Amino acid sequence: MATEVLEGLLEEDDEVVQVWYLLGWLFYLQLDKPETTEDAESIRKSARTHLTKAKKLYVKLHCEDPPMLEHTEQLLGELGGELVADDDDEEAGPSVDDIGDDFIQSSEDEEEDEAMEH
């Protein structure tokens, strides 16, 4: 149920760090369930994928939630580190490598840049 809600949120906006983080944590927690022993490797990979994307988005979007980043890094450490993106991996979801290209500078940002120049 929680997975469906969070995946629905990702469909609406895939640039929300907290959603990626919560999905990664959710998959991590599912590893402890006895009924997941057969799918443990795919669940571990899903957890690493979502947590890796959360960390990348955190950096790119300049989020300010150090405890979330710290917990993300802790979970990734326990799972074997960040997952390196494979071009063939369709399950990983949208790439965040070029996320900066999707942002348009707002007039507020332009005003701040001009103020800093003076």
Side-chain angles (χ1 to χ4, degrees), residues 84-93 95 97:
V84 178
D86 292 337
D87 292 335
D88 300 334
D89 191 5
E90 295 174 12
E91 183 181 320
S95 171
D97 292 336

Side-chain angles (χ1 to χ4, degrees), residues 88-106:
D88 300 334
D89 191 5
E90 295 174 12
E91 183 181 320
S95 171
V96 295
D97 292 336
D98 299 321
I99 197 167
D101 299 340
D102 295 339
F103 293 107
I104 298 172
Q105 191 170 21
S106 71

Side-chain angles (χ1 to χ4, degrees), residues 28 44 48 73-84:
Y28 173 84
R44 180 179 309 282
R48 289 177 67 195
E73 291 173 339
Q74 175 190 357
L75 294 173
L76 282 168
E78 292 177 21
L79 292 167
E82 290 183 42
L83 192 62
V84 178

Side-chain angles (χ1 to χ4, degrees), residues 1-117:
M1 177 77 177
T3 308
E4 293 169 7
V5 172
L6 290 168
E7 287 174 349
L9 290 172
L10 273 186
E11 287 177 18
E12 289 180 26
D13 186 356
D14 65 353
E15 296 177 353
V16 180
V17 178
Q18 292 84 354
V19 176
W20 287 103
Y21 161 71
L22 289 172
L23 269 168
W25 193 10
L26 181 79
F27 285 117
Y28 173 84
L29 292 173
Q30 287 179 353
L31 288 170
D32 289 337
K33 290 186 175 182
E35 64 268 11
T36 61
T37 53
E38 291 179 15
D39 299 328
E41 196 52 43
S42 71
I43 292 171
R44 180 179 309 282
K45 184 176 179 183
S46 292
R48 289 177 67 195
T49 299
H50 287 84
L51 291 167
T52 298
K53 288 199 182 267
K55 184 175 176 182
K56 286 182 180 181
L57 271 174
Y58 184 98
V59 171
K60 289 198 183 246
L61 298 176
H62 307 290
C63 290
E64 295 183 16
D65 189 351
M68 182 178 65
L69 179 61
E70 183 179 317
H71 190 228
T72 299
E73 291 173 339
Q74 175 190 357
L75 294 173
L76 282 168
E78 292 177 21
L79 292 167
E82 290 183 42
L83 192 62
V84 178
D86 292 337
D87 292 335
D88 300 334
D89 191 5
E90 295 174 12
E91 183 181 320
S95 171
V96 295
D97 292 336
D98 299 321
I99 197 167
D101 299 340
D102 295 339
F103 293 107
I104 298 172
Q105 191 170 21
S106 71
S107 58
E108 276 184 24
D109 292 339
E110 291 172 5
E111 289 173 9
E112 287 177 15
D113 289 347
E114 288 175 13
M116 290 183 148
E117 289 175 4

